[in-house]
Amino acid sequence: MKRWDYRSLRALTVVIFLSGPIWGQKISTGYDKTADFSQFKTYAWVERDTPATDPVLAALIVADIDSELGKKGLRKVESNPDLLVTCYGGLGSQSVFAAEDPGYAAMGGAALPGTNMWGGSASSAPVAQVVQGTLVVDLVDARQKHLVWRATAKANLDYDKRSKLFDQANKAVAAIFRKYPPGK
């Protein structure tokens, strides 16, 4: 193999190794252990103070949450709800790259056959942008005005492909509500 083939193979291996855990979603939940979740039968949405930056995605998430709450036996009402529902989220990006190893430290200081230790260059390392998303869903006891349940989903998103982004949002909402109500 040529010298650049080994460098490309090393860089690809590092990228694959580092990106393995990136694609999964991390779901965490917390709840008030004193709350009686069997008493909650109805819900209503808290009105947003600011418009969503991505209204189509926000509408999809709201519809998914409505669907999941319906599956859990909760009914959406316009007044006097048992629970108030709100969700919010954010996006950020991070650069990910595989650095060259000019000293071949990962190989024990020995260059691969056909290469020398002076051939590496950090500037030729592949760079990718990873869009990270967080979705938080809060359920508040409407009578006591007390947060009783919160779920957070974090994942790296394929923001350039809308259909895949929507699929990721659907899966995140479904995963969040697998843990509701707590204890079941």
Side-chain angles (χ1 to χ4, degrees):
M1 283 184 146
K2 297 180 184 175
R3 184 169 111 193
W4 62 269
D5 288 334
Y6 280 110
R7 285 193 346 217
S8 297
L9 181 60
R10 268 197 332 265
L12 180 62
T13 301
V14 170
V15 168
I16 290 172
F17 177 73
L18 291 175
S19 67
I22 285 176
W23 301 111
Q25 294 176 344
K26 182 179 179 192
I27 308 293
S28 61
T29 59
Y31 64 96
D32 180 350
K33 293 177 181 31
T34 64
D36 178 9
F37 286 87
S38 66
Q39 73 176 346
F40 302 127
K41 306 291 183 201
T42 61
Y43 73 96
W45 281 91
V46 174
E47 192 171 321
R48 292 180 61 96
D49 291 336
T50 58
T53 55
D54 189 335
V56 175
L57 181 59
L60 172 81
I61 290 170
V62 167
D64 285 348
I65 292 171
D66 281 338
S67 174
E68 292 296 327
L69 289 173
K71 290 177 189 175
K72 300 295 182 175
L74 294 166
R75 186 175 44 88
K76 186 176 179 179
V77 296
E78 296 298 320
S79 63
N80 200 25
D82 298 325
L83 288 172
L84 297 172
V85 180
T86 186
C87 71
Y88 46 95
L91 297 174
S93 66
Q94 174 181 348
S95 296
V96 178
F97 66 94
E100 291 289 327
D101 186 9
Y104 294 94
M107 303 293 295
L112 293 171
T115 65
N116 62 50
M117 61 187 289
W118 309 111
S121 168
S123 64
S124 65
V127 178
Q129 288 290 351
V130 176
V131 177
Q132 299 168 326
T134 301
L135 172 65
V136 179
V137 178
D138 286 343
L139 301 180
V140 174
D141 182 323
R143 288 171 186 74
Q144 295 182 14
K145 306 291 189 236
H146 175 74
L147 179 68
V148 292
W149 189 81
R150 171 175 284 163
T152 304
K154 293 182 180 183
N156 290 334
L157 305 173
D158 194 347
Y159 203 75
D160 294 331
K161 297 179 184 165
R162 298 294 283 179
S163 63
K164 187 163 185 177
L165 176 64
F166 293 161
D167 185 50
Q168 287 176 302
N170 290 335
K171 288 178 181 176
V173 172
I176 281 174
F177 282 98
R178 279 190 210 114
K179 298 183 178 197
Y180 181 86
K184 285 192 176 185

